[in-house]
Amino acid sequence: MPKMKIRKGDTVEVLTGKDKGTRGEVLRVIPKDNKVVVEGVAVVKRHMKPNAANQQGGIVEHEAAIDASNVALIDPKDDKPTRVGYSVKDDGTKVRVSKRSGEEL
């Protein structure tokens, strides 16, 4: 299973699909399936039966998972999509860096 370069809480932009160009925060990362759930992207409707958590039931909207290859991390320096690389600091810690600007993420 490859390591995910996108983490929960990152701001990403959707590169393809019906939500292309939309930006949002990563709510959940699913490394096993190489998928991410992004706030406000791929919103689907589900019919829910009434239960203890949802007394009324009805039609509920929530975000579906999309493939991690369809999103790009936003570079903090110039606010544009970028690829992610890794760099090892002098003290031996491994950090994510922006391929676009070299800025630490």
Side-chain angles (χ1 to χ4, degrees):
M1 179 168 40
K3 183 174 174 160
M4 301 277 295
K5 294 184 176 184
I6 296 173
R7 296 180 185 163
K8 180 180 175 178
D10 286 344
T11 302
V12 295
E13 183 172 319
V14 180
L15 302 176
T16 61
K18 67 175 185 166
D19 294 311
K20 180 178 179 176
T22 306
R23 290 185 179 196
E25 183 181 334
V26 176
L27 302 175
R28 207 169 80 212
V29 177
I30 309 165
K32 185 180 83 173
D33 299 329
N34 195 38
K35 293 189 179 281
V36 292
V37 177
V38 182
E39 183 180 25
V41 174
V43 177
V44 294
K45 293 183 179 185
R46 292 287 179 250
H47 295 262
M48 302 293 286
K49 288 173 105 176
N51 57 28
N54 184 6
Q55 294 286 336
Q56 191 171 6
I59 301 172
V60 178
E61 290 187 351
H62 66 87
E63 291 90 359
I66 60 173
D67 201 86
S69 65
N70 294 337
V71 297
L73 200 63
I74 299 299
D75 190 347
K77 191 171 186 179
D78 60 3
D79 204 41
K80 292 184 178 177
T82 182
R83 293 173 299 156
V84 180
Y86 290 98
S87 176
V88 179
K89 288 182 162 181
D90 293 334
D91 62 353
T93 56
K94 187 176 175 183
V95 293
R96 296 183 305 161
V97 294
S98 166
K99 291 273 194 172
R100 185 179 189 90
S101 65
E103 195 80 11
E104 188 175 315
L105 301 171

